[in-house]
């Protein structure tokens, strides 16, 4: 039995809530969560939705690890390393690893992406990526085009990467390599830089110390002999470092002989330096071209100000895995200058739901505060019965008979957004999903949505280092005459989990379920919902014990992208099936005339308010999963204002493909006028 099992007992929890209500006696109480782990536990248990309205939870002050901004942590660490400076902090603040520092607090609706400049409190504009080979009519470089479906220079998980630079100690190597470490890469670094890069091992990377080399040309052979292979080289050199052309040519020949697949030449610019390749970079580029060795030039202009944590790592990970430009400039755009957003080459067959916001800036207004960057992506999505005729069969809202946007479409859009923001990682699940009212889909009207995807910190999820990406969807409202207006309403938000590989997926419960009662009729339920044949996902549904049910699902979900191209497939239609099963169970078991006809799916009765966690199995397991799939549900809470379900999807061989925690339905008491418009 799990240690948390007693707290999953509805009778015990209800008795405790009754005692709390009695003790309150009409008084209001406010509790402050003093640690981030408190916040996580409160969310996982669903405590906020259960407590009386008189009890309010406040987040903070928190320990330094939980609430201090990444940039401020880095500033403290920088100060602590200076001579004659003593830093006193609460707790273990100075032991926080910069690459493991927690994500900053959730911004507003669409917040500016900035961080305090170290030591001054001034806001830093984000680093942006520009193509040095493509300029506008005024000679200014244009934003770099990102193709998340490409494979860049060919960097892969498990690669051995040699990092060399005369001033390697002064470079932020831990930040620079932090996004690549969870791919299981081995980094060959100068001995003097190892201590500053120990955080890379905690993220999943491996370190090898390079002894002092008599010549740069000895680097490839030295690493290849020590590690057994060498896949890439990262050259870091300041602007004033003079490297001979013959040295670069010899390096390229040695790298080619050792099987090196790519070389990145990275140069930090000082004030007044031109953003073009240095002579040593051009010499290496020429030699590499003759040998057929991929060589990329990157110039970094940070304006003399420290980077926002994780910026450099994200930029490098994108460049090595999906970058396509031979000459790149990383620099801060002027705070008063408009910043064009990240763009990507259109691959509708791979990412059909999400497209660049740049193509719709005039039709899709953005708050002036929204700034796309390496850590924040602005994008758009469109949903239409004309473009996707099958949506016309997804239900009929009682007020006007219009279908509404399926849950699987929302989740697919969020997954694609996270994948576009962090293209070197694969989606592994969701957390903290919250949903507004259903989005109606009128005939001959395209519903437009605004997407903000913002990368967050790393965490250990299911035994694998996992990156979080916060995705927020807002739908453009419609006037009574169905014309689009410039007002946006919340549609959905949540965290997308992405990792180099899926972790272990423990089942929610073990053993086979035994059906204990007759099947619940489904025809009248689906007819009452207005579901067409293609959306009637459940083949059967029957009780399997107290607060347990089991259903059959034969509809295999289409992949968000073909497995051979994207590396993952979708279980999202199974989530739709879980939603339908929960609604049918509630129609059968929850008293109330408003539940008749499947109206649980509509704003008039109960509404889906959120899902705690969704986790996927490994993509290889999904591709080999045999049908039919079984959907197993367990009701964890049941009262007049809250219903909560856990679920898992099991294939014909008994393997767990998906787990879902805390699908919550709340009694909707909001006014219905204009809901979902």
């Amino acid at each position: 039995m799990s240690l948390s099992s007693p707290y999953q007992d509805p009778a015990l929890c209800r008795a405790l809530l009754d005692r709390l209500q009695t003790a309150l006696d009409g008084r209001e109480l406010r509790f402050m969560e003093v640690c981030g782990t408190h916040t996580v536990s409160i969310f996982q248990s669903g405590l906020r939705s259960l407590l009386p309205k008189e009890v309010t939870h406040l987040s903070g002050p928190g320990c330094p690890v939980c609430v201090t901004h990444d940039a401020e942590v880095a500033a403290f660490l920088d100060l602590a390393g200076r001579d004659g400076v003593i830093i006193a902090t609460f707790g273990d603040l100075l032991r926080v690893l910069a690459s493991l520092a927690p994500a900053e607090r959730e911004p507003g609706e669409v917040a500016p992406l900035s961080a305090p400049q170290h030591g001054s409190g001034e806001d830093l504009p984000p680093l942006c990526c520009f193509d040095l080979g493509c300029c506008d009519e005024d000679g200014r470089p244009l934003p770099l085009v990102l193709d998340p479906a490409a494979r860049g220079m060919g960097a892969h998980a498990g690669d051995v990467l040699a990092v060399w630079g005369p001033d390697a100690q002064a470079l932020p190597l831990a930040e620079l390599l932090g996004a690549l470490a969870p791919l299981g890469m081995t980094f060959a670094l100068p001995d003097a830089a190892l201590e500053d890069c120990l955080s890379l091992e905690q993220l999943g990377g491996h370190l090898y110390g390079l002894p002092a080399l008599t010549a740069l040309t000895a680097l490839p052979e030295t690493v290849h002999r020590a590690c057994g292979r060498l896949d890439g080289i990262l050259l870091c050199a300041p602007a004033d470092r003079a490297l001979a052309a013959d040295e670069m040519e010899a390096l390229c020949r040695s790298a080619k002989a050792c099987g090196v697949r790519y070389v990145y030449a990275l140069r930090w610019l000082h004030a007044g330096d031109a953003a073009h390749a240095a002579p040593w970079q051009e010499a290496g580029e020429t030699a590499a071209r003759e040998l057929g060795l991929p060589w990329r030039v990157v110039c970094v202009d940070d304006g003399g100000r420290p980077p926002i944590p994780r910026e450099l790592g994200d930029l490098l990970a994108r460049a090595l895995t999906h970058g396509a430009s031979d000459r790149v400039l990383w620099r801060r755009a002027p705070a008063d200058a408009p910043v064009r957003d990240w763009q990507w080459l259109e691959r509708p067959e791979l990412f059909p739901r999400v497209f660049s916001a740049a193509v719709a800036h005039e039709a899709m207004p953005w708050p002036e505060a929204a700034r796309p960057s390496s850590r924040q992506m602005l994008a758009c999505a469109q949903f239409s019965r004309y473009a996707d005729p099958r949506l016309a069969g997804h239900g009929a809202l009682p007020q006007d008979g219009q279908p509404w946007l399926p849950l699987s479409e929302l989740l697919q859009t969020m997954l694609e957004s996270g994948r576009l923001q962090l293209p070197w990682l694969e989606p592994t699940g969701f957390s903290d999903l919250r949903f507004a009212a259903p989005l109606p889909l009128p005939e001959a009207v395209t519903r437009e949505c605004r997407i903000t995807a913002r990368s967050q910190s790393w965490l250990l999820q299911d035994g694998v280092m996992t990156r979080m990406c916060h995705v927020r969807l807002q739908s453009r409202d419609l006037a009574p005459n169905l014309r689009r207006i410039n007002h946006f309403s919340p549609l959905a938000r949540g965290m997308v989990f992405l990792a180099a590989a899926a972790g272990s997926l423990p089942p929610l419960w073990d053993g086979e379920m035994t059906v204990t009662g007759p099947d619940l009729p489904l025809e009248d339920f689906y007819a009452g919902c207005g579901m067409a044949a293609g959306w009637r996902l459940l083949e059967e549904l029957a009780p399997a014990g107290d607060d347990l049910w089991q259903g059959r699902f034969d509809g295999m979900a289409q992949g968000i992208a073909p497995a051979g191209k994207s590396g993952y497939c979708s279980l999202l239609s199974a989530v739709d099936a879980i939603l339908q099963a929960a609604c049918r169970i509630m129609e059968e078991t929850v008293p109330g005339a408003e539940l008749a006809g499947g109206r649980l799916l509509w704003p008039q009765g109960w509404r889906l308010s959120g899902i705690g966690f969704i986790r996927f199995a490994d993509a290889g397991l999904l591709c080999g999963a045999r049908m039919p799939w079984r959907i197993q549900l367990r009701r964890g809470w049941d009262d007049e204002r809250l219903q909560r379900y856990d679920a898992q999807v099991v294939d014909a061989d008994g393997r767990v493909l998906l787990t879902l925690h805390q699908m919550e339905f709340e009694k909707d008491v909001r006014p219905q006028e204009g809901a979902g418009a």
Side-chain angles (χ1 to χ4, degrees):
M1 176 177 293
S2 167
L3 292 176
S4 62
S5 297
Y7 303 102
Q8 299 177 357
D9 183 353
L12 176 60
C13 294
R14 190 172 291 107
L16 293 173
L17 290 174
D18 291 340
R19 289 178 58 187
L20 177 60
Q21 190 71 64
T22 302
L24 286 172
D25 194 24
R27 295 175 298 169
E28 295 185 359
L29 292 179
R30 292 187 294 175
F31 293 91
M32 182 170 287
E33 306 149 15
V34 298
C35 181
T37 56
H38 295 170
T39 303
V40 172
S41 298
I42 289 171
F43 166 74
Q44 290 180 336
S45 64
L47 192 60
R48 290 181 184 272
S49 58
L50 296 176
L51 288 174
K53 64 180 184 303
E54 294 86 1
V55 179
T56 303
H57 272 277
L58 304 174
S59 296
C63 67
V65 176
C66 300
V67 302
T68 304
H69 196 287
D70 289 2
E72 294 172 343
V73 173
F76 297 148
L77 294 173
D78 178 67
L79 290 172
R82 299 183 183 182
D83 294 335
V85 177
I86 299 175
I87 298 292
T89 69
F90 177 81
D92 292 336
L93 178 61
L94 294 184
R95 300 180 64 183
V96 175
L97 302 171
S99 56
L100 291 176
E104 60 194 72
R105 293 184 179 183
E106 180 181 332
E109 200 64 25
V110 181
L113 183 62
S114 62
Q117 181 178 345
H118 299 184
S120 72
E122 177 185 344
D123 280 349
L124 285 178
L127 279 174
C128 297
C129 208
F130 299 88
D131 190 343
L132 289 177
C134 188
C135 301
D136 59 15
E137 58 273 10
D138 298 324
R140 295 173 297 190
L142 296 175
L144 183 67
V145 175
L146 174 68
D147 184 0
R151 278 301 164 197
M153 298 189 67
H156 304 299
D159 278 2
V160 177
L161 180 67
V163 184
W164 179 91
D167 290 341
Q169 278 187 289
L171 298 176
L173 290 180
E175 295 289 347
L176 186 63
L177 304 174
L180 296 170
L183 300 181
M185 284 190 170
T186 297
F187 304 106
L189 306 171
D191 284 331
L194 288 181
E195 185 175 355
D196 295 331
C197 295
L198 292 178
S199 61
L200 298 177
E201 292 188 332
Q202 298 190 33
L203 286 168
H206 309 281
L207 301 181
Y208 171 76
L210 288 173
L213 301 176
T214 57
L216 174 59
T217 54
L219 176 67
E221 186 177 350
T222 301
V223 178
H224 189 276
R225 188 187 308 114
C227 302
R229 57 185 286 193
L230 179 59
D231 302 286
I233 298 176
L234 178 64
L235 300 177
C236 305
D240 56 357
R241 171 67 176 178
L243 299 174
D246 58 348
E247 190 177 15
M248 287 294 96
E249 182 178 351
L251 173 68
C252 290
R253 295 190 180 280
S254 177
K256 186 70 174 180
C258 292
V260 171
R261 303 197 310 272
Y262 50 90
V263 180
Y264 242 69
L266 193 66
R267 180 170 66 104
W268 256 257
L269 301 179
H270 299 306
D273 291 335
H276 56 72
W280 67 269
Q281 290 175 310
E282 293 179 346
E285 189 177 21
T286 301
R289 189 181 302 113
E290 294 175 354
L291 296 170
L293 177 67
W295 179 288
R296 301 282 168 80
V297 171
V298 179
C299 298
V300 184
D301 181 11
D302 59 6
R305 295 172 292 181
I308 300 172
R310 297 190 302 273
E311 277 189 326
L312 293 175
D314 286 352
L315 287 167
L316 181 63
R318 285 189 180 91
L320 286 178
T321 58
H322 294 78
S325 180
D326 290 332
R327 294 192 173 186
V328 176
L329 171 64
W330 299 347
R331 76 176 182 189
R332 302 195 186 280
D336 56 348
V339 180
R340 290 183 59 184
D341 83 350
W342 280 98
Q343 298 183 54
W344 51 88
L345 303 180
E346 299 231 10
R347 299 288 183 95
E349 73 277 11
L350 297 182
F351 304 97
R353 292 287 173 252
V354 181
F355 57 89
S356 173
V359 303
H361 267 311
E362 304 224 346
M364 182 73 69
W366 295 85
E368 294 184 2
R371 296 180 63 86
S373 71
S374 62
R375 292 182 59 198
Q376 179 167 277
M377 181 189 72
L378 309 179
C380 299
Q382 295 180 343
F383 305 99
S384 161
R385 293 160 60 177
Y386 176 79
D388 190 353
R390 63 191 187 97
L391 294 179
H394 187 261
L397 293 169
Q399 61 264 33
D400 49 23
Q402 296 176 358
W404 69 93
L405 189 67
L407 176 61
S408 57
E409 296 288 317
L410 282 177
L411 297 180
Q412 176 172 336
T413 303
M414 299 177 76
L415 272 190
E416 288 185 17
S417 302
R419 180 72 188 279
L420 285 164
Q421 175 66 2
L422 303 168
W424 62 95
L425 301 173
E426 302 288 340
T428 59
F430 299 90
S431 91
D432 197 13
L433 294 167
R434 308 304 297 177
F435 308 105
L439 183 68
L441 300 175
E443 190 177 5
V445 174
T446 297
R447 301 307 305 265
E448 295 180 342
C449 292
R450 189 163 69 184
I451 306 170
T452 307
R454 194 164 192 270
S455 57
Q456 306 284 345
S457 61
W458 294 96
L459 57 85
L460 190 63
Q461 178 75 18
D462 296 330
V464 176
M465 291 306 303
T466 302
R467 189 75 178 272
M468 298 183 294
C469 185
H470 183 271
V471 181
R472 182 186 298 268
L473 274 65
Q474 299 168 296
S475 61
R476 175 178 276 191
D477 293 341
L478 301 178
N481 61 359
L482 299 184
R483 293 180 62 89
R484 289 184 287 268
I485 60 177
N486 288 340
H487 183 273
F488 290 78
S489 297
L491 183 60
R493 61 178 173 84
M495 289 287 186
V496 179
F497 289 152
L498 303 106
S504 60
L505 185 63
L508 296 186
W509 50 81
D510 299 324
E512 292 283 332
M513 280 192 175
T514 302
V515 174
T516 59
D519 291 350
L520 301 182
L522 297 172
E523 285 296 323
D524 291 344
F525 168 75
Y526 281 129
C529 297
M531 292 289 183
W535 291 102
R536 300 185 178 190
L537 303 179
L538 293 173
E539 297 292 330
E540 57 188 39
L541 181 65
D546 294 338
D547 290 324
L548 294 173
W549 291 265
Q550 179 169 274
R552 174 176 163 178
F553 170 63
D554 286 328
M556 182 72 173
Q558 293 183 352
I560 295 177
K565 297 181 180 180
S566 75
Y568 68 95
C569 61
S570 174
L571 279 171
L572 300 182
S573 64
V575 180
D576 270 333
I578 293 171
L579 172 62
Q580 294 177 8
C583 292
R584 178 64 184 93
I585 293 167
M586 292 173 63
E587 185 183 47
E588 185 74 18
T589 61
V590 178
E594 71 273 20
L595 305 183
R599 296 194 177 189
L600 295 167
L601 296 169
W602 300 328
Q604 277 79 352
W606 293 74
R607 69 179 185 91
L608 176 68
S609 59
I611 298 175
F613 296 93
I614 298 177
R615 295 188 176 96
F616 304 148
D618 182 79
L621 177 60
L622 298 178
C623 293
R626 292 194 307 117
M627 304 297 288
W629 293 352
R630 287 174 290 133
I631 294 178
Q632 301 174 343
L633 291 91
R634 177 180 62 193
R635 180 158 56 193
W637 192 263
D638 173 23
D639 65 22
E640 60 185 10
R641 59 188 181 95
L642 177 67
Q643 297 278 316
R644 181 185 297 146
Y645 294 84
D646 301 324
Q648 62 184 20
V649 178
V650 183
D651 72 354
D653 298 317
R655 298 178 298 182
V656 178
L657 308 178
L658 174 146
T659 59
L660 183 150
H661 303 251
Q662 299 178 7
M663 175 179 279
E664 291 191 346
F665 298 85
E666 295 180 1
K667 191 66 176 294
D668 197 343
V669 295
R670 300 170 301 170
Q672 298 305 310
E673 183 178 355

